[in-house]
Amino acid sequence: MTVNADALVAQARDAYARRDWTTARDRFLTARERTGLTVDDVNALADAAWWIGDMDAALEHSEEVYRRCLQGDRPAEAAMSALGIGYLLFLRGDDVAGSGWISRAQRLLRDEPERVEHGYLRYLDVEGGLERHDAPAVLAAATEVQAFGKRFGDPNLVTLGILGEGRGLIRLGRVREGVALLDEAALSLRSDELLPEWAGNLYCHLVAACAELGDVRRASDWTDALTAWCERMSPAAVFTGICRVHRAQLMHLRGGWEMAEEEALRVCRELDGIHAATVAESWYALGEIRRLRGDHDGARAAYERARELGRDPQPGVAMLSVAEGHVSVAAAAIRSALSATTEPLARARLLPAQVEIAIEAGDRSTAAAACDELATVASAFASSGLEASARHARGALTLAEGAPAEALGILLDAIRRWQHVDAPYEVARARVLAARAYAELGDEGSSRAELEAADRGFARLGAGEAGRGRGVPHLTAAAPGGLSEREVEVLRLVASGRTNRDVARTLVISEKTVARHLSNIFAKLGVASRTEAAAYAFERGIVTWNATDRPTG
């Protein structure tokens, strides 16, 4: 039976109201072949195409709406279409064309009496201020957006304004006030009073704000909520892709690296040409996972792709340089990245890497300054994740400064904090440092227990050598001569011709501790010199012969 055009349009409208985007798109297109569509129907068609992920069609239909509104002397509606087109182009990464359409919207509204469309135009300044890390600008725009929403009875604008104010306050360090506003904005999700596209926008901001703060548990809860919402809105291509990135980042932190890589790769494929920033973040996440799994070439390629799409690939690239032994290159890279921002939360993402790199380079003054700044940010923002990171960094530096007893307490606290936020990779890394502290205190039993726990953690994660960190061993069977794991590390380095200073720098211990380990090694092996100890190491297979690595008298 042939369905007439009017019936098809009615079916399309009904499907659109039910948020059955695919059916709505198909019915509108079929009806269009038989009869013309109203401007509102074309607008709904554009909207459905966007939800499905057909960005080209969404732009084409939106431009038709713009032209028809302009021709029909409906400047405010034409401006709203221009605003939507500009926003879609920004998502795509086409900033030049996007700016052109936003300029059109501004021009069309310039001579219009104040109306609700002006509020949506102002909301772009909230988004722009967040991207530029300009918290005062965010707060100013958010206040105006709320006022527009109240004046014109638009719940979307009221909620978006509250959201923007919350994020702006968080950026200023007024976390308690900011989070309270985010919770208030989230109430709108329960009442289903927001248009779907703005509800999705709100979900994404809630997840991003929690992730920015290092509040892993809240970020996880909101990611789960966004996942469930996307399933109800299926196919919801853009929001589903954003959700996948957040899931990949949480999996990365919690150790599900294989699944995280699959999720990130899927986003790179499905949102290519649709949402540039999300794809860029996915490539960066891929770089991080590959680096930790020891795939240096794959990591480098992913970081480069992220850079091409506008995402600064730090601190990942710097940490990759460390893994490859280029410490001075890493130090310069992280220094440059930090010089490019003054925003505390953005710097907090980079500071742990600077501490690690500076310790590796023997630059304790830089490491100390970075530790102090990270601790200040963590305290100001009262974030569980940042506090764990700050304690981890402080413990590593204290250990490097030759104070193992003090370092041990700090590191055990860091381990507890990382466990609280469910970050097994960071737990394993902190355990390695705690093992070193125990060893320097002469407690070989506790040292080995921590190393074994760390090794199990790394093995479960599939961490490659780069993911374990420089100088972190895979545990093996008991070494000959009754040597401890740390003594084996020292002996291997000495046998390869390293000085005590080199050994200390590599293992992040003091030269005095290296000398004590050597004394114990000599006693256990019954040897009297470094040369004899090296010969023992080669003969027993603790290290292997190379053409030039033979002990000399």
Side-chain angles (χ1 to χ4, degrees):
M1 183 178 68
T2 302
V3 181
N4 65 42
D6 290 342
L8 284 169
V9 170
Q11 291 171 7
R13 291 172 180 170
D14 177 66
Y16 181 81
R18 290 184 286 103
R19 298 165 185 174
D20 179 355
W21 315 115
T22 302
T23 300
R25 188 270 313 267
D26 292 345
R27 294 291 188 275
F28 275 131
L29 287 176
T30 303
R32 189 174 195 169
E33 293 175 357
R34 303 181 188 181
T35 186
L37 297 178
T38 68
V39 172
D40 288 342
D41 288 336
V42 177
N43 197 42
L45 173 58
D47 200 25
W50 181 82
W51 281 96
I52 292 166
D54 188 349
M55 189 69 81
D56 289 336
L59 288 167
E60 178 186 341
H61 301 317
S62 294
E63 289 183 23
E64 179 184 343
V65 172
Y66 168 77
R67 290 191 300 271
R68 289 174 64 173
C69 287
L70 206 57
Q71 292 164 0
D73 196 23
R74 297 158 64 181
E77 293 174 58
M80 200 65 180
S81 293
L83 182 64
I85 293 167
Y87 195 72
L88 294 187
L89 290 167
F90 281 139
L91 292 183
R92 258 191 154 170
D94 190 347
D95 292 349
V96 174
S99 295
W101 279 98
I102 298 302
S103 179
R104 280 184 174 179
Q106 292 170 331
R107 177 174 50 77
L108 286 166
L109 290 174
R110 189 173 300 134
D111 298 326
E112 290 293 306
E114 191 175 83
R115 51 191 302 154
V116 71
E117 286 83 1
H118 289 90
Y120 285 99
L121 190 62
R122 189 69 169 116
Y123 178 67
L124 288 184
D125 294 326
V126 173
E127 297 271 8
L130 287 170
E131 189 173 336
R132 297 190 308 273
H133 299 282
D134 186 349
V138 171
L139 286 175
T143 300
E144 289 188 35
V145 169
Q146 288 182 65
F148 274 110
K150 292 173 183 176
R151 194 174 305 131
F152 293 100
D154 189 317
N156 300 290
L157 286 179
V158 173
T159 300
L160 292 171
I162 293 171
L163 165 72
E165 184 181 357
R167 293 209 65 184
L169 289 173
I170 289 171
R171 292 279 180 89
L172 289 174
R174 295 162 62 182
V175 177
R176 188 185 298 274
E177 297 171 71
V179 170
L181 286 173
L182 294 187
D183 289 341
E184 180 183 346
L187 294 175
S188 300
L189 296 170
R190 299 179 182 178
S191 62
D192 200 30
E193 63 183 355
L194 303 182
L195 290 173
E197 57 268 33
W198 295 118
N201 182 280
L202 174 56
Y203 271 119
C204 291
H205 274 288
L206 291 170
V207 177
C210 294
E212 190 173 62
L213 281 170
D215 190 338
V216 180
R217 293 189 181 278
R218 284 174 67 94
S220 179
D221 289 344
W222 280 118
T223 299
D224 289 343
L226 175 56
T227 299
W229 181 84
C230 286
E231 289 173 354
R232 295 197 302 274
M233 294 290 167
S234 182
V238 171
F239 292 123
T240 299
I242 294 171
C243 186
R244 288 188 193 284
V245 175
H246 290 306
R247 281 210 304 270
Q249 291 167 333
L250 288 167
M251 290 174 189
H252 172 199
L253 184 64
R254 291 175 170 174
W257 290 354
E258 185 173 346
M259 290 181 65
E261 185 166 3
E262 290 175 1
E263 288 279 49
L265 277 170
R266 185 169 177 179
V267 175
C268 292
R269 289 193 305 268
E270 294 181 356
L271 288 193
D272 186 35
I274 296 176
H275 201 307
T278 296
V279 174
E281 194 63 37
S282 297
W283 280 113
Y284 181 78
L286 277 171
E288 289 290 88
I289 296 163
R290 290 170 177 176
R291 173 175 65 83
L292 298 180
R293 298 179 82 173
D295 179 5
H296 290 190
D297 290 341
R300 190 174 294 103
Y303 289 140
E304 186 55 36
R305 185 68 182 124
R307 189 195 303 275
E308 290 170 358
L309 290 169
R311 204 285 191 194
D312 180 12
Q314 298 295 0
V317 169
M319 296 309 298
L320 182 59
S321 293
V322 172
E324 295 176 333
H326 308 305
V327 180
S328 61
V329 173
I334 203 68
R335 189 167 55 246
S336 296
L338 280 162
S339 70
T341 180
T342 59
E343 204 279 319
L345 289 174
R347 291 178 65 81
R349 184 175 57 83
L350 302 167
L351 288 168
Q354 185 173 48
V355 173
E356 188 170 340
I357 293 165
I359 291 173
E360 184 75 21
D363 183 358
R364 291 179 186 168
S365 62
T366 295
C371 268
D372 290 343
E373 183 180 351
L374 183 58
T376 298
V377 176
S379 175
F381 288 86
S383 156
S384 54
L386 291 180
E387 287 167 351
S389 183
R391 296 298 282 170
H392 188 144
R394 180 67 66 187
L397 176 60
T398 304
L399 184 60
E401 291 174 333
E406 182 183 354
L408 182 59
I410 298 171
L411 290 166
L412 292 178
D413 181 44
I415 290 169
R416 286 191 293 271
R417 289 175 184 272
W418 284 129
Q419 289 172 328
H420 176 71
V421 301
D422 194 14
Y425 172 65
E426 298 298 346
V427 168
R429 293 179 71 240
R431 285 193 185 283
V432 170
L433 294 173
R436 292 177 181 172
Y438 277 123
E440 291 194 33
L441 292 169
D443 185 352
E444 294 294 346
S446 295
S447 177
R448 185 168 186 84
E450 288 291 351
L451 276 177
E452 287 173 344
D455 195 66
R456 288 193 297 272
F458 286 133
R460 282 193 296 270
L461 294 166
E465 294 297 336
R468 291 168 177 257
R470 286 162 65 82
V472 180
H474 289 273
L475 297 181
T476 57
L483 299 179
S484 70
E485 190 68 36
R486 175 43 60 90
E487 289 165 351
V488 168
E489 289 182 86
V490 171
L491 179 55
R492 283 173 175 158
L493 293 168
V494 167
S496 67
R498 305 284 188 91
T499 65
N500 282 15
R501 177 174 293 182
D502 292 334
V503 174
R505 180 173 294 178
T506 299
L507 299 182
V508 197
I509 58 179
S510 67
E511 291 184 53
K512 182 178 179 180
T513 301
V514 174
R516 178 165 57 80
H517 282 311
L518 275 175
S519 177
N520 291 337
I521 290 168
F522 290 174
K524 288 181 179 182
L525 301 186
V527 299
S529 69
R530 299 166 77 92
T531 300
E532 291 179 16
Y536 181 98
F538 285 115
E539 290 166 3
R540 299 302 181 91
I542 294 174
V543 290
T544 57
W545 292 100
N546 290 319
T548 58
D549 283 341
R550 295 177 180 274
T552 57

